[in-house]
Amino acid sequence: MTYAKWGLVLMISLLLVGCWDQQEITDLASIAGLGFDVGSYPHTVRMSFMTSPPRAGLGGEGGDGSRLRVMTVEAGSFTEALILLQGHIRRQPFFLHLGFILFGEELAKSGLNGQIAALQGRSTIRGSVPIFVAQGTAEEILTARSGIGHAPGQDIADLLDNLAEAPLGRPTTIHNVRNVLGGLGSEITAPILELTPLRLQAGDEKPEVGLGLANEQLREVFVRRLAVFRRDRWVADFDQYLVQTFVLLTGTTKMGSLNITNPADPKSIMGIAIANFQARFEIKIEGDKVEVEILPRVKAIVREVSGSYILRDRGLEPIAQNIEQEVNRQVIAVMSFLQEQKADALGIGDMIRRQQPDVWARLEPRWGQLFPQITVSVNTEAEITSTGMLVRFFEIKRGE
Amino acid sequence: MQKTTRKMRKPVPVRELTKADIEKGQFSGNLKQDCDALRAVLSASADLKERTIKMSDGAPCAVLYFANLTNLALISESIIEPLQRHGGAQGILHIAEQVVHVPEYKAEGDIYQVACALSAGTVAVLLAGEAEALLLPLLELEQRPIERAIQEDILIGPHESFSESLGKNLAILRRRVGSPDLKIKQLMVGRRSRTTVAIIYLAEVAQPILVAEMEKRIQRIDIDFTYGINYLTDFLDDEPHSVFPTLRSTEIPVRVVAALMEGRIAVMAEGDGSALIAPTFAPEFLQASEDYFDRPLSATFFRFIRMVGLMISVFLPGTWLALVSFHHGILPTPLFNSIQSGREGVPLPTVVEIFVLILAFDLIVEASTRMPTRIGQALGIVGGIILGQAAVQAGLVSPALVIIAALTGLAIFTQPSITFISVLRLLKYPVLIAGSLLGIYGVVWALIFMLITVTAIRSFGYPYMFPVAPFNLEGELDIFIGVPKLWHAKRQKFLSPQNERRLDYE
Amino acid sequence: MSKVRVGLAQSTLALFVVTIGTVFFPVAGVVVPLAGASGWVAVLLAFFIALPWVYMATYVAGSATAPNWGQAVKAWLGPFVGRIFLMYFAFVWMWLGGLLLGQAGLVFHEMAMPRTPPIVLCFALLILVMRVGWHGLEVFVRTIEALAMFSILGLVGLLVGMLPLVRIDQLRPLIDAPPALIAHAAMFCLPWAMEGVLFALFIGVYARKRLGMGGYFAAAVGAAGFSLAFLTMMTVGVLGRGVTESYLYPTAILIQVALPGFFLEGVEMFMYPLWVVASYFKVGAAFIMVSESLAGVWQGFKQPYRTLLLGGVFMFIATRPRNIFELVASIGRVDNTFFMSFYFILPALALWVRVSRREE
């Protein structure tokens, strides 16, 4: 009996032999970044794949960035592009290590629906991959060479690592876009990547040989703006002065910085760090008239003072008042910008839906027209929690 | 005790210790004739010595013994000398009771039995006119002294181990358990080797039905020869074909005593320095006896390490294979890149590579086990470092895999039980095969398959995975945590229902 | 053959894991399209509704003195009606078990091994299930115990690992659908609760009877309901409604996005085993229930043939659906017709047992 049992097990295991899914790790080409642009023919999309071919031989220092390659394929669909790419690189493109997805400006303005659907349909692409949009084309950004010893695309990888530090809030993902496309949630924003020529000063290191042609313009990638999407279309963008306030208002980050005028010396400024920013929205609806009162609470730290401010004479109250004025001004600016663009990126509509579903059902069809007419009032409450370690700098005496 | 549901082999009727092939007969009383008859049974025994004596009243008598099996000085001092000074007229019992100076005696009329007794180190005295021989045991063998345990090295606590003499071993146990409750039952196994087997248990603690079951199983054994108790495992085991041992073999007396105290029983045999403990549960193989001498917290940590070692030794190669050749998306991106770079240019597929490396490691282990200690160490260094390093530099294997193979090989030796180590060395291969076929699905498949196998096993009617399945909180704590002894106030209820409490502490 | 007995704690644990079974994969995908973000209320509601049935099942099972399921049923209902009940019970579970076996293969195939034919994965699981079916309920429950620690830890780890990713704003308001929609969604969860109730009826026969068995079993089913509701809530919180409702098995997607780039790129590593283990629990339970029922219908149906034949039947059913949509539709059909029918059969059975007890 036992031999029969073992025989059965053996037979079964022989039957199972197949290793269908087995795939050597060296047969894969890990795609680190993906860019989409409008193609040169109608109904085509230009897709750029950033991959790092492993180096042969010893050592485990692959992926050091110096070997990142960008390949561009123009095809009607994502699937077709993959087949073309596979024929070119002779390895299986592998997306589970995808770091980011980048959309070109033109494509983003004409709608991302098709691309998002293609990405979502693949089980090997995680829904949590962050999305960026490019000022210009995605390909341009991916292939940009910058810095010292940096490879194409490496800038974005570095940027991603430090995204938490940049005042951009939580990155937008494929899933966010999908949720918005489903008619739920508010408009979304995505960071805009821009290129700027790298200015090398005298005494800087020369770029390594072999990184590009001698006369190639080195550029670096930076982010200071956010694209506002309505559904899947890029409809407006924030300038860098509004970005921080916007992100603070969405609540995805709580820290930032602020410049205010010195109450004692209007020609000089004070640098304030925002340690905690919390905004409460109070919405009053009467008929079609919607009033929004935004109540930010700011905890601030005085970091630097140019000019003189004598603390023991004036106290902290004037500083707090200036902070409140400045925050009010910025919030109003954000709101009027959003109303101008008819983009409810802060999700006022969503708040109404959650608080008063029946009222929202009435307002929803006309929300596009109602939103620009909302009355907005801001009332900030600022509290200075710390003036830092140095107290004496408040009494700088000019030698007059 | 739960009744065993497993089908047992049909009991073989115990064969009478055979006389069939040997001439049958009783002593006649004629000294010459009787000596000849005994010599005929023990024919061609060069070491059989016979000494004839004239007793003081002139009665002839013969003393027979095997020269190297008995103490010659004692024979001449306690048997021959008194016999020469006394008369033989009052019969053999008078001689036994009044003349010879030997602690034990027995009168035996059967020639075959006397021959057997001679082989066991007895001196036989034949008296003219008596149809019975006097058997006086004077066994003396050169024996290994009590030594440090070799197989299971103990860090803290008593170091002594069993030796090859059953009597000495039983004496060690007696010394450690002072209570008269320590019971020892002796049985004879082996048609030709005639090995004594002892069942050891604590009368008030162990369940009588367990002892009876063990006795039944031993009596069923009909074999002509046994090396020792480990040789009999197949006959005593519930699942002789399974890879999992359902009896624990140990050479450390403390461990046996601890088992006896829990209501288990031990079996030992003459000529074997180890004891089998029954019933044994799989999770217990993770316990080392130092755990009970160590501080609870550090014991917990070591148990955790052993648990991790167990998981690594069985599942690491299969899981690693599943990771690097099936589910590449799970690895962190930098690790993915570094593995990819490391594998670039390696000619073998990962499966073959990992098989070859693990097999090589097992080869090294096996080779160094068979080698004398010093050469073994050198071999380990040669095999481990040079082979691995050279293979990587030659581009035959990827560097990450060498680490995996070495880790797997090392982790096995965290296990305290030598019996279990051999099981673990085997088990990683099926997991590896399953992993190579179906990735992580295969690894989990193998895990569940093993679990079904293990949980279906019973050790003497008790579930083999005991404190884990069926779950028992106290038992389970003792597997994973070094529980302070004060918490161990009770024995396992089903091992010893009649005497549960083992500790009272105010 | 000695009487198989399972401890009360053991059977409660078994009931809990079998009730959750593979449901934790599709649950959010079923309720969220119907009830939106308040799908979790629907799940909770369904399992709450099922609680009286748990008590009924425990009452009926508690009255059994027979050594096994088949004899117990025949003792309740008499040999003829009892056989009909057993055949219906076996038929229902055979169908569901076969489809779940197919699901185990198809989903894993879609999720992680696109090139491996699903039939191979089904067959691998079938071997395990047949092996445990051969050994019987006792060994099955013990494997559950041994695996439960690992699988429940996995589930809890998953939920805890997910907590930082939850976006509260996606969850608000907690109840956003009208009661009618929630009730409608709860209807689709009722069969899952009934699967648990029927397993309670089955394992109650074997459990060592103790006072308060009903409480234990209700706690197990209730805890399963709570876990599923919590998981639904988490799914919506992490993925958002739009994504959740666009997948058949949203939990797979949920786990794909958990802990991105923390120390592993993903935690699928922990989810894949969870899927295999959960499938094993559910299909194994179905297999053993069918096997025991058939043994009750026909005494002469001895063990090796029973397991082999049943294995064949399960495999046949498992290979019927050609794709995941057909499979989901078939499971839905079985659930909504046959399992819902037990909401009427079980009270009748309980009533009958009560009446016949009075007569005695």
Side-chain angles (χ1 to χ4, degrees):
Chain A
M1 187 57 232
T2 322
Y3 292 108
K5 230 187 318 189
W6 283 113
L8 189 74
V9 170
L10 196 70
M11 197 187 74
I12 286 161
S13 44
L14 285 180
L15 273 177
L16 283 174
V17 168
C19 318
W20 296 268
D21 267 293
Q22 198 175 34
Q23 202 167 27
E24 290 300 332
I25 201 162
T26 41
D27 294 340
L28 301 173
S30 178
I31 307 289
L34 190 54
F36 290 93
D37 283 308
V38 173
S40 37
Y41 301 98
H43 306 299
T44 62
V45 181
R46 211 171 149 78
M47 282 164 251
S48 314
F49 297 86
M50 191 169 85
T51 172
S52 57
R55 81 176 43 175
L58 269 179
E61 68 257 58
D64 58 355
S66 59
R67 314 245 317 157
L68 286 170
R69 271 169 64 190
V70 177
M71 278 158 291
T72 305
V73 178
E74 206 157 299
S77 71
F78 188 53
T79 316
E80 189 189 342
L82 284 188
I83 292 167
L84 289 172
L85 181 74
Q86 202 170 347
H88 181 62
I89 60 177
R90 289 173 199 85
R91 290 188 185 222
Q92 176 101 23
F94 185 65
F95 289 99
L96 276 167
H97 292 284
L98 189 61
F100 60 90
I101 295 168
L102 192 53
F103 292 103
E105 182 175 2
E106 209 179 321
L107 188 72
K109 282 178 174 161
S110 67
L112 306 175
N113 196 354
Q115 279 66 48
I116 293 293
L119 293 172
Q120 209 200 355
R122 277 184 186 266
S123 62
T124 51
I125 296 181
R126 291 180 206 277
S128 53
V129 179
I131 287 176
F132 296 88
V133 290
Q135 171 91 34
T137 66
E139 189 186 353
E140 205 180 5
I141 302 253
L142 281 175
T143 49
R145 284 147 201 262
S146 81
I148 314 297
H150 269 171
Q154 187 61 38
D155 255 11
I156 305 174
D158 290 349
L159 200 69
L160 265 179
D161 288 343
N162 295 307
L163 198 65
E165 302 296 317
L168 297 170
R170 185 187 284 139
T172 304
T173 63
I174 301 177
H175 277 161
N176 293 146
V177 184
R178 176 63 191 75
N179 278 332
V180 171
L181 286 177
L184 297 147
S186 58
E187 280 86 340
I188 51 164
T189 53
I192 301 172
L193 303 187
E194 287 169 62
L195 284 177
T196 174
L198 191 69
R199 287 183 291 272
L200 286 179
Q201 304 285 328
D204 278 357
E205 276 184 72
K206 287 261 170 66
E208 269 180 43
V209 184
L211 259 182
L213 300 171
N215 54 357
E216 194 177 9
Q217 173 72 62
L218 290 174
R219 290 173 298 179
E220 71 177 341
V221 177
F222 71 100
V223 185
R224 293 215 188 99
R225 296 185 299 152
L226 290 177
V228 178
F229 278 75
R230 190 180 303 147
R231 295 287 171 124
D232 62 335
R233 263 168 240 274
W234 174 1
V235 290
D237 53 80
F238 282 108
D239 68 13
Q240 55 174 315
Y241 298 105
L242 294 182
V243 164
Q244 174 187 287
T245 317
F246 171 75
V247 175
L248 285 173
L249 281 175
T250 58
T252 54
T253 179
K254 293 190 185 321
M255 295 199 275
S257 67
L258 207 61
N259 294 342
I260 57 167
T261 50
N262 186 341
D265 181 2
K267 275 181 236 154
S268 63
I269 57 154
M270 280 185 168
I272 307 290
I274 298 176
N276 192 354
F277 185 101
Q278 274 180 328
R280 203 152 50 82
F281 290 78
E282 280 193 356
I283 303 167
K284 281 183 209 140
I285 303 167
E286 282 168 27
D288 281 355
K289 205 165 160 331
V290 182
E291 278 177 36
V292 177
E293 192 180 11
I294 303 173
L295 302 164
R297 286 173 63 91
V298 181
K299 285 188 180 163
I301 301 168
V302 181
R303 282 274 183 239
E304 57 177 270
V305 178
S306 72
S308 171
Y309 185 85
I310 298 164
L311 186 61
R312 83 173 80 80
D313 294 353
R314 294 172 184 266
L316 287 171
E317 195 51 37
I319 306 180
Q321 275 173 12
N322 270 17
I323 292 174
E324 282 167 10
Q325 279 170 19
E326 180 63 21
V327 173
N328 285 353
R329 194 184 64 76
Q330 290 194 7
V331 173
I332 290 287
V334 168
M335 281 308 289
S336 53
F337 170 78
L338 284 175
Q339 282 177 309
E340 208 176 286
Q341 303 295 335
K342 297 183 184 173
D344 179 15
L346 277 177
I348 308 282
D350 242 26
M351 290 173 208
I352 299 174
R353 183 175 70 87
R354 285 179 201 133
Q355 287 163 11
Q356 292 153 294
D358 45 336
V359 177
W360 175 245
R362 183 164 54 81
L363 297 182
E364 192 184 7
R366 289 173 296 126
W367 185 242
Q369 291 108 54
L370 286 176
F371 179 68
Q373 294 158 18
I374 293 177
T375 327
V376 180
S377 56
V378 187
N379 190 1
T380 309
E381 219 177 283
E383 183 193 335
I384 293 172
T385 55
S386 161
T387 52
M389 296 290 284
L390 297 168
V391 202
R392 290 186 61 83
F393 73 82
F394 290 98
E395 296 177 68
I396 295 168
K397 298 243 165 48
R398 297 237 170 97
E400 288 175 71
Chain B
M1 176 182 168
Q2 274 171 296
K3 208 172 155 266
T4 166
T5 52
R6 216 135 253 302
K7 248 189 248 165
M8 308 279 292
R9 289 181 308 281
K10 270 185 197 153
V12 183
V14 178
R15 197 162 157 194
E16 281 300 313
L17 292 172
T18 77
K19 303 172 189 174
D21 38 355
I22 301 174
E23 204 181 331
K24 201 174 172 182
Q26 300 281 328
F27 286 114
S28 63
N30 180 333
L31 186 61
K32 175 101 184 34
Q33 212 175 327
D34 288 349
C35 284
D36 288 346
L38 203 54
R39 278 182 176 284
V41 174
L42 294 166
S43 60
S45 302
D47 51 347
L48 180 68
K49 303 291 177 206
E50 185 185 340
R51 162 81 202 256
T52 47
I53 298 167
K54 271 254 154 42
M55 299 180 76
S56 63
D57 56 355
C61 85
V63 177
L64 290 102
Y65 56 91
F66 280 105
N68 300 318
L69 211 54
T70 43
N71 188 329
L72 291 182
L74 274 179
I75 293 179
S76 51
E77 199 178 296
S78 322
I79 302 175
I80 301 178
E81 204 239 318
L83 281 176
Q84 284 170 336
R85 281 199 275 111
H86 288 80
Q90 280 148 302
I92 199 147
L93 282 178
H94 172 77
I95 290 177
E97 282 163 5
Q98 306 256 335
V99 179
V100 292
H101 307 158
V102 179
E104 267 181 69
Y105 75 87
K106 193 184 169 193
E108 178 63 61
D110 189 303
I111 297 175
Y112 178 75
Q113 293 294 353
V114 172
C116 289
L118 276 175
S119 315
T122 311
V123 179
V125 179
L126 292 176
L127 198 61
E130 290 282 344
E132 277 182 328
L134 188 62
L135 299 180
L136 305 164
L138 274 180
L139 173 72
E140 191 192 67
L141 267 182
E142 280 304 313
Q143 273 167 343
R144 199 157 64 93
I146 297 173
E147 280 171 349
R148 233 187 126 99
I150 300 165
Q151 268 187 3
E152 309 161 71
D153 210 355
I154 290 187
L155 299 177
I156 321 168
H159 292 288
E160 68 178 358
S161 72
F162 288 127
S163 68
E164 273 78 24
S165 153
L166 178 63
K168 225 184 241 180
N169 295 342
L170 294 179
I172 293 174
L173 292 178
R174 271 273 178 234
R175 203 185 68 220
R176 290 195 175 270
V177 187
S179 157
D181 281 344
L182 181 73
K183 306 289 179 198
I184 296 165
K185 273 194 182 177
Q186 289 203 341
L187 299 162
M188 198 71 85
V189 171
R191 246 182 271 163
R192 296 195 188 277
S193 67
R194 301 180 50 73
T195 312
T196 314
V197 173
I199 305 175
I200 306 146
Y201 61 98
L202 275 186
E204 288 300 308
V205 180
Q207 289 210 57
I209 187 170
L210 187 62
V211 182
E213 172 73 24
M214 180 58 97
E215 210 176 334
K216 202 174 89 195
R217 287 189 192 186
I218 292 176
Q219 276 168 352
R220 242 183 6 215
I221 302 170
D222 185 26
I223 192 171
D224 60 350
F225 164 72
T226 167
Y227 283 107
I229 197 70
N230 287 311
Y231 192 70
L232 299 178
T233 322
D234 275 9
F235 302 96
L236 304 177
D237 220 309
D238 288 55
E239 296 274 342
H241 300 292
S242 165
V243 289
F244 297 99
T246 59
L247 290 162
R248 182 174 188 168
S249 170
T250 179
E251 55 173 356
I252 297 174
V254 199
R255 219 165 257 176
V256 174
V257 172
L260 292 180
M261 292 298 163
E262 281 171 17
R264 298 168 210 247
I265 55 176
V267 200
M268 299 191 74
E270 178 67 55
D272 190 351
S274 50
L276 290 182
I277 296 169
T280 294
F281 308 127
E284 279 163 12
F285 286 109
L286 285 174
Q287 295 170 332
S289 53
E290 295 95 76
D291 294 352
Y292 297 97
F293 303 122
D294 227 328
R295 314 299 300 171
L297 213 56
S298 41
T300 308
F301 176 66
F302 295 137
R303 282 190 171 169
F304 173 72
I305 293 285
R306 261 177 255 139
M307 196 74 199
V308 172
L310 173 86
M311 300 310 269
I312 286 181
S313 62
V314 180
F315 291 104
L316 185 66
T319 313
W320 181 258
L321 186 61
L323 276 183
V324 297
S325 56
F326 284 86
H327 312 290
H328 317 90
I330 295 167
L331 300 164
T333 309
L335 183 62
F336 176 90
N337 289 334
S338 102
I339 293 173
Q340 202 178 28
S341 308
R343 262 203 66 74
E344 200 69 24
V346 174
L348 302 170
T350 317
V351 189
V352 179
E353 203 183 338
I354 201 162
F355 259 110
V356 166
L357 265 182
I358 285 179
L359 212 59
F361 194 92
D362 268 350
L363 275 177
I364 294 170
V365 171
E366 196 56 27
S368 49
T369 316
R370 306 288 155 228
M371 289 268 175
T373 325
R374 276 153 214 239
I375 307 179
Q377 281 175 351
L379 194 83
I381 296 166
V382 171
I385 300 173
I386 302 183
L387 206 65
Q389 186 68 20
V392 170
Q393 278 184 346
L396 288 176
V397 293
S398 58
L401 260 186
V402 177
I403 300 171
I404 295 297
L407 204 57
T408 311
L410 265 186
I412 288 180
F413 295 100
T414 53
Q415 299 307 310
S417 163
I418 198 93
T419 334
F420 210 52
I421 285 179
S422 53
V423 174
L424 294 184
R425 276 174 67 186
L426 190 66
L427 278 186
K428 59 179 183 269
Y429 290 102
V431 178
L432 188 54
I433 293 172
S436 73
L437 294 176
L438 289 178
I440 199 76
Y441 192 98
V443 174
V444 183
W445 187 91
L447 168 74
I448 299 179
F449 194 89
M450 269 181 220
L451 266 181
I452 297 176
T453 314
V454 174
T455 47
I457 294 178
R458 280 167 176 278
S459 173
F460 279 75
Y462 299 98
Y464 187 49
M465 281 292 279
F466 159 62
V468 177
F471 178 81
N472 175 295
L473 183 66
E474 213 173 307
E476 182 133 347
L477 281 182
D478 195 21
I479 297 297
F480 296 108
I481 297 173
V483 182
K485 268 143 237 124
L486 299 183
W487 297 6
H488 269 301
K490 284 178 176 177
R491 291 176 230 279
Q492 280 307 334
K493 189 166 186 174
F494 71 102
L495 273 175
S496 172
Q498 68 272 44
N499 198 339
E500 216 182 314
R501 191 129 193 106
R502 59 188 277 175
L503 178 83
D504 282 304
Y505 182 81
E506 291 302 321
Chain C
M1 180 79 193
S2 65
K3 206 163 156 180
V4 174
R5 279 278 170 262
V6 184
L8 186 57
Q10 278 183 303
S11 37
T12 310
L13 178 69
L15 179 58
F16 174 69
V17 297
V18 169
T19 310
I20 289 192
T22 50
V23 176
F24 76 95
F25 256 60
V27 61
V30 169
V31 291
V32 170
L34 295 170
S38 46
W40 63 277
V41 188
V43 180
L44 216 52
L45 184 68
F47 278 80
F48 183 71
I49 291 173
L51 285 188
W53 273 264
V54 179
Y55 276 101
M56 269 179 234
T58 342
Y59 170 74
V60 175
S63 71
T65 47
N68 63 42
W69 164 248
Q71 286 178 27
V73 171
K74 282 185 274 183
W76 296 328
L77 293 171
F80 182 69
V81 186
R83 278 201 170 84
I84 290 178
F85 179 84
L86 283 175
M87 273 156 73
Y88 183 62
F89 190 84
F91 166 76
V92 169
W93 274 106
M94 199 192 299
W95 203 342
L96 183 74
L99 289 175
L100 289 178
L101 182 68
Q103 175 188 311
L106 263 175
V107 171
F108 205 85
H109 160 81
E110 293 284 344
M111 197 160 64
M113 306 183 104
R115 266 172 251 113
T116 309
I119 187 167
V120 176
L121 299 171
C122 288
F123 192 63
L125 185 64
L126 185 73
I127 294 169
L128 292 182
V129 168
M130 278 169 69
R131 189 162 160 71
V132 82
W134 173 298
H135 284 299
L137 181 70
E138 210 177 344
V139 169
F140 177 63
V141 172
R142 267 192 245 140
T143 56
I144 288 182
E145 269 179 300
L147 285 169
M149 198 164 43
F150 142 79
S151 50
I152 291 179
L153 272 182
L155 196 62
V156 169
L158 166 75
L159 293 180
V160 170
M162 212 62 63
L163 275 176
L165 292 176
V166 171
R167 293 177 58 175
I168 302 289
D169 54 322
Q170 287 179 334
L171 276 175
R172 279 183 309 201
L174 276 175
I175 300 175
D176 69 343
L181 274 186
I182 292 179
H184 183 227
M187 280 286 286
F188 287 86
C189 303
L190 276 176
W192 294 330
M194 183 41 84
E195 288 166 17
V197 173
L198 290 185
F199 188 69
L201 178 67
F202 175 78
I203 204 165
V205 173
Y206 293 96
R208 283 199 194 86
K209 310 285 184 295
R210 226 187 288 169
L211 220 62
M213 190 162 86
Y216 274 83
F217 282 9
V221 174
F226 263 111
S227 319
L228 293 175
F230 189 64
L231 186 72
T232 311
M233 211 193 249
M234 295 289 263
T235 314
V236 177
V238 175
L239 298 180
R241 260 181 73 176
V243 176
T244 307
E245 63 187 24
S246 61
Y247 287 102
L248 279 173
Y249 294 88
T251 308
I253 305 300
L254 175 73
I255 298 166
Q256 216 180 34
V257 305
L259 294 178
F262 176 44
F263 69 101
L264 290 172
E265 191 60 21
V267 289
E268 294 103 315
M269 190 67 192
F270 303 108
M271 174 201 53
Y272 294 158
L274 218 58
W275 172 250
V276 186
V277 169
S279 301
Y280 163 75
F281 287 159
K282 195 91 186 194
V283 184
F287 193 91
I288 286 174
M289 279 191 264
V290 176
S291 173
E292 289 291 320
S293 303
L294 290 184
V297 174
W298 180 28
Q299 300 280 349
F301 202 14
K302 288 281 185 252
Q303 190 42 277
Y305 308 105
R306 209 179 344 151
T307 299
L308 288 176
L309 184 86
L310 264 187
V313 173
F314 266 59
M315 198 64 202
F316 177 77
I317 299 173
T319 49
R320 285 309 93 198
R322 276 164 301 174
N323 55 44
I324 216 151
F325 293 99
E326 275 187 31
L327 180 96
V328 170
S330 319
I331 292 183
R333 268 198 300 278
V334 175
D335 268 347
N336 291 330
T337 48
F338 298 118
F339 277 91
M340 289 304 268
S341 72
F342 279 100
Y343 276 99
F344 305 102
I345 297 174
L346 209 56
L349 179 66
L351 215 60
W352 176 254
V353 170
R354 180 143 184 89
V355 168
S356 52
R357 251 196 185 181
R358 279 262 174 81
E359 281 169 4
E360 282 166 19

